Amino acid sequence: MTRILPLTAVAAAIALVGASTANAQEAPAPAPAPQAAAASEAGESSTKLEAVVVTSQGRRELLQKVPVAVKAFSATQIENAGIKSTQDFVNLTPNMSFDNSFTYGNSFVVIRGVSQINNADSPVAVVVDGVPQSDQKQLKMNLVDVARIEVLKGPQGSLYGRNAIGGAIVIDTKAPTNELHGFAKADYSSGNTREVSGGVSGALVPDKVLFRVAGQTKSSDGLINNSFLDKKVDFIDHDNLLRAKVMVVASEDVQLDFRASTNTFKAGATWDNLIRDGNLNAHYDPTSNFLGQTEGSNDEFTFKADVETSLGTLTAITNRTKLREKFAGDADFTNPQDTLGGLAGTLSRGQGKDRRTTLTSQELRLTSPSSKPLRWIAGLFYMDKTMDLEEKSFADINGQASQYDAAAVTRHNVFKNTASAAFGQVEYDFTPATKLSGGLRYDRDARVRDDTITAAHAEKTFSAWQPKLTLTQKLDADAIGFATYSTGFRSGGFNTTASDQPIFKDENLKNFELGYKGSFADGRLTFNAAAFYSKSDDLQYFYIKVLPGNILSGRIGNIDKVTIKGVDVDFRYTPVKGLEFDGGLGITDSRITANAAEPATVGNRTPKASPWKVTFGAQYTRAVASGINGFARLDIEARSRKYWLPDNLLVSDGMTLVGLRLGIQDAKDRWALNLYGHNLTNERYYADVNGKTYGGWGGPIQAIGSLATPRVVGVEFVYKL
């Protein structure tokens, strides 16, 4: 911490001096609030679409003016679509998928053919309230009291740094308010799932010190049954979140923000099942004799200072996060009555991990005024991360989680990485219709792995320059076209064993993109499209390796070269008052073009590839009684086949998922009662699959899979102060 906290203090001191010299000049006009921007854009017509404001390029801008393929959700859209988790908004985003498997906090995201891998960096930069979420376990989250979600597609390395190789997810929670506001929400759904959330916001000192507190508690009996134990494997004992924000308006030029949050959970784990014949369309229930369990926590504190100076806005963000995840569960996914045997030739094997992570980060950024024809952003970033990973393997005799604590540690690694970066972005308006922007970032990531059992030590530094160049042309008052060259970099790292390919390489991607954004029909229709072509070197992927003794072990490896090409399309349309349609199409053709480890895979689709996805939503609101509106929303998500591994032997069929929301609402937005359903046709499918690859494994077993959540129906009630 001694290397981090002083930087914020120094930045604030420098900024305060700069602010005092800025008073003699004309102060830049404050950016409009999203509601004000929407009102000015929409004018008086109630049939115009809400104008969505985004901040993903470092400034407040209207979504339709930003030359990036962005899927954005405003607070209103989040509420209308019933978005409550990461899974919910990813389901509505073409060219993107999100799957939860193995432990309660474990997740896998795929965007434009670039996939998440276990115990490694995400392919997307995830930023919440300005803070990078630099650990895989931070991507899955319950979304409570959220103001805005933005999904940027394509590499965003010049601004967001390492791991933004596939894009970026930017989430802003709601800010404190001067007026007293509050809400309470109760939700009950399938599996005896109970959720209660609420929040309050107001002023401790009017106009000077504002606060906002929000929280949630969730529990569930579960929906996926273990047919051997006759127990639900995806239960949630508890998932509790509490977040507090305080805003201090120190002066006209200085704003200080404090944010603290804590999240604790206890839930199911290791609910994979055997797919004995490799047929992913035959959906087997879990049959292990060990009911897995995950428990963990996420504690975070952030301090942010924004200071107006003569040069622009100086922002300093300091963050400290502690993560913990501990799980125990079955390792062979079988039971003593299983005549086919387990993956490692045993009927009684348990596994567990205790993962403790500490992250400290500091960002310092200077942003020029938005009103000038020349605009720029310059910044520095530093992060220190330590992950202590303890693993156990033990005889699973009674199938009890308590066996984990009594077992001996079989593997214990400490991973450290220190990341630093310098970045800049410049935009210049050559004419009122033509803008050129360029960005450049240098990332350096020093990594160390220490095996405390064998005393093996390894270290390696990964680094990359990440340039970006965009030409934007205003085609008319309501349309722009853009051309972009961008790059992305995902750091390499170490596998958990000192032998057998311990180091996996860093991944680098170059992307060329052409895009269009237009508004039509007097603001009632928006249509956005982008075509992209990318080349990836050393694409990272996860596979199962067979070790001596027929022991299976997870590995991260590299595919030498991959070519990715595709299209992103999205639209919104409101033909008449109260009726709105939205949707999109994502096509991604990601192919292996060189792979020395498995030459036979050349020409195949990349791991976890989904060639296409279509989304469509329709919602209608109308008065049904005095002061009461009726509401209905239909969401359809059509997914293509999914190719899980480089050999393309394990393939899931495509499917269509249907969601529906019906409700009544107070016309003054004080309360709402909604019925909802997800996966209404009760599609059975695997959220994650691993199987034969890279040397294969013996026996009749071809794959293991983790079932996705079946049909869910529920009711929710919301009350607002």
Side-chain angles (χ1 to χ4, degrees):
M1 292 292 290
T2 56
R3 299 178 61 186
I4 302 298
L5 292 177
L7 185 55
T8 299
V10 170
I14 293 172
L16 286 169
V17 173
S20 65
T21 63
N23 291 334
Q25 304 178 20
E26 181 180 356
Q35 295 88 347
S40 62
E41 182 78 0
E44 298 299 323
S45 173
S46 59
T47 59
K48 287 190 176 183
L49 292 167
E50 172 198 14
V52 178
V53 174
V54 296
T55 60
S56 50
Q57 295 301 289
R59 304 174 186 276
R60 281 188 176 276
E61 300 173 278
L62 291 170
L63 173 63
Q64 290 303 105
K65 306 296 184 183
V66 177
V68 180
V70 182
K71 178 68 173 179
F73 303 89
S74 67
T76 300
Q77 291 171 306
I78 292 169
E79 187 172 338
N80 288 342
I83 294 174
K84 299 187 291 184
S85 67
T86 310
Q87 181 81 69
D88 292 336
F89 75 78
V90 173
N91 287 352
L92 299 174
T93 304
N95 271 337
M96 193 176 190
S97 66
F98 177 91
D99 301 307
N100 175 223
S101 71
F102 207 71
T103 69
Y104 182 65
N106 209 43
S107 61
F108 298 91
V109 64
V110 183
I111 183 168
R112 284 190 175 182
V114 186
S115 63
Q116 172 72 60
I117 42 185
N118 220 3
N119 287 325
D121 293 329
S122 171
V124 296
V126 181
V127 180
V128 179
D129 289 337
V131 177
Q133 310 293 289
S134 300
D135 190 88
Q136 178 194 7
K137 306 297 182 179
Q138 293 177 290
L139 177 58
K140 182 190 176 186
M141 64 188 86
N142 293 327
L143 300 173
V144 181
D145 207 28
V146 172
R148 179 172 44 247
I149 302 169
E150 303 167 31
V151 180
L152 291 75
K153 300 177 186 177
Q156 306 294 324
S158 66
L159 195 58
Y160 288 95
R162 64 189 187 91
N163 307 333
I165 192 165
I169 298 172
V170 180
I171 299 173
D172 291 326
T173 60
K174 291 183 179 179
T177 57
N178 208 35
E179 302 79 17
L180 183 64
H181 292 292
F183 75 95
K185 181 178 179 181
D187 190 308
Y188 183 82
S189 61
S190 303
N192 194 27
T193 302
R194 292 89 66 198
E195 296 180 50
V196 177
S197 60
V200 63
S201 178
L204 297 174
V205 179
D207 302 319
K208 294 294 184 181
V209 183
L210 315 179
F211 76 94
R212 191 175 197 105
V213 178
Q216 180 192 51
T217 181
K218 180 178 181 178
S219 61
S220 176
D221 292 346
L223 290 165
I224 300 172
N225 193 55
N226 181 310
S227 58
F228 177 76
L229 298 173
D230 194 24
K231 294 181 179 180
K232 298 295 189 293
V233 295
D234 58 334
F235 68 91
I236 303 172
D237 181 85
H238 67 268
D239 185 350
N240 301 328
L241 169 69
L242 180 64
R243 180 176 63 242
K245 303 175 76 172
V246 175
M247 176 194 298
V248 178
V249 183
S251 71
E252 185 178 336
D253 300 312
V254 180
Q255 179 177 303
L256 309 177
D257 292 280
F258 303 85
R259 178 185 186 272
S261 66
T262 182
N263 177 218
T264 60
F265 58 86
K266 183 177 179 181
T270 64
W271 56 81
D272 289 70
N273 55 71
L274 302 182
I275 308 171
R276 305 176 192 280
D277 53 5
N279 180 8
L280 302 190
N281 300 307
H283 306 107
Y284 302 99
D285 290 332
T287 58
S288 61
N289 64 306
F290 197 130
L291 187 65
Q293 179 177 293
T294 309
E295 56 183 293
S297 60
N298 181 354
D299 298 314
E300 182 179 355
F301 176 77
T302 302
F303 169 65
K304 178 183 178 184
D306 287 302
V307 185
E308 296 296 334
T309 76
S310 57
L311 295 176
T313 303
L314 182 65
T315 301
I317 304 175
T318 303
N319 175 262
R320 178 78 167 179
T321 299
K322 287 189 175 182
L323 300 164
R324 175 78 182 270
E325 185 189 60
K326 176 182 175 181
F327 83 87
D330 211 298
D332 53 38
F333 312 107
T334 62
N335 62 74
Q337 299 176 18
D338 194 323
T339 58
L340 289 181
L343 289 176
T346 172
L347 296 177
S348 300
R349 169 171 291 180
Q351 62 172 316
K353 291 183 181 181
D354 192 348
R355 188 179 190 270
R356 299 177 294 273
T357 306
T358 301
L359 297 118
T360 305
S361 67
Q362 175 71 64
E363 181 169 340
L364 184 64
R365 183 173 67 246
L366 185 60
T367 305
S368 72
S370 299
S371 57
K372 307 294 184 181
L374 178 65
R375 300 170 297 281
W376 49 266
I377 299 173
L380 300 170
F381 176 78
Y382 174 85
M383 185 202 72
D384 182 82
K385 177 180 178 180
T386 299
M387 181 177 73
D388 188 302
L389 182 61
E390 178 186 273
E391 301 177 67
K392 297 181 179 182
S393 179
F394 49 90
D396 165 25
I397 299 173
N398 300 315
Q400 300 296 321
S402 59
Q403 291 177 256
Y404 172 85
D405 295 319
V409 176
T410 55
R411 191 179 297 159
H412 185 196
N413 288 284
V414 178
F415 299 90
K416 297 182 179 180
N417 71 292
T418 302
S420 56
F423 60 93
Q425 180 172 288
V426 177
E427 297 177 315
Y428 182 68
D429 298 330
F430 283 99
T431 70
T434 305
K435 176 178 71 176
L436 181 66
S437 63
L440 182 64
R441 184 179 182 116
Y442 177 74
D443 275 280
R444 183 180 185 274
D445 191 4
R447 302 208 168 206
V448 176
R449 172 191 169 276
D450 286 303
D451 187 324
T452 64
I453 295 179
T454 66
H457 174 85
E459 56 183 80
K460 189 173 180 61
T461 298
F462 303 91
S463 62
W465 290 94
Q466 298 181 82
K468 181 180 181 180
L469 189 66
T470 300
L471 177 65
T472 306
Q473 180 66 40
K474 187 175 181 180
L475 304 176
D476 58 40
D478 298 308
I480 64 168
F482 59 91
T484 296
Y485 168 74
S486 57
T487 56
F489 158 71
R490 177 157 55 172
S491 186
F494 303 98
N495 282 298
T496 56
T497 55
S499 60
D500 185 38
Q501 206 174 358
I503 297 177
F504 55 93
K505 301 177 183 177
D506 55 310
E507 180 181 350
N508 293 270
L509 185 142
K510 299 178 180 178
N511 178 64
F512 302 88
E513 191 156 345
L514 293 174
Y516 170 87
K517 290 188 172 184
S519 297
F520 305 91
D522 194 28
R524 293 184 289 112
L525 169 67
T526 62
F527 177 83
N528 304 327
F532 57 90
Y533 177 83
S534 307
K535 283 187 171 293
S536 175
D537 292 335
D538 298 312
L539 181 136
Q540 297 173 7
Y541 78 107
F542 178 82
Y543 64 94
I544 301 293
K545 178 69 175 178
V546 182
L547 301 181
N550 200 30
I551 301 299
L552 302 180
S553 181
R555 287 287 186 276
I556 300 170
N558 297 94
I559 296 173
D560 299 333
K561 293 187 180 296
V562 167
T563 298
I564 307 170
K565 54 188 176 182
V567 174
D568 266 303
V569 176
D570 70 78
F571 76 92
R572 291 177 64 202
Y573 178 49
T574 176
V576 295
K577 182 179 178 180
L579 178 63
E580 183 175 328
F581 301 101
D582 59 79
L585 164 68
I587 299 174
T588 300
D589 183 13
S590 52
R591 301 280 182 169
I592 298 170
T593 54
N595 189 7
E598 295 182 276
T601 64
V602 172
N604 287 358
R605 298 188 186 273
T606 56
K608 299 183 184 293
S610 296
W612 58 264
K613 175 178 170 180
V614 175
T615 64
F616 176 77
Q619 67 182 46
Y620 183 58
T621 304
R622 64 163 294 173
V624 294
S626 178
I628 298 178
N629 292 330
F631 173 84
R633 180 176 175 89
L634 171 71
D635 280 297
I636 299 174
E637 177 192 2
R639 302 179 182 179
S640 71
R641 307 180 81 194
K642 190 160 189 171
Y643 299 78
W644 292 100
L645 300 165
D647 55 24
N648 286 186
L649 296 178
L650 294 170
V651 183
S652 294
D653 278 353
M655 72 194 76
T656 300
L657 303 178
V658 179
L660 182 66
R661 288 174 65 82
L662 300 170
I664 54 174
Q665 307 168 341
D666 174 56
K668 295 183 179 180
D669 197 29
R670 293 174 298 189
W671 59 266
L673 177 64
N674 298 309
L675 303 174
Y676 64 88
H678 303 300
N679 188 11
L680 287 177
T681 57
N682 202 28
E683 292 281 352
R684 296 262 290 174
Y685 63 98
Y686 290 106
D688 190 36
V689 171
N690 281 290
K692 185 178 180 180
T693 187
Y694 201 39
W697 58 42
I701 298 163
Q702 295 297 310
I704 55 174
S706 180
L707 285 173
T709 303
R711 177 171 48 227
V712 173
V713 294
V715 58
E716 64 181 15
F717 178 74
V718 183
Y719 179 76
K720 300 178 182 179
L721 292 176

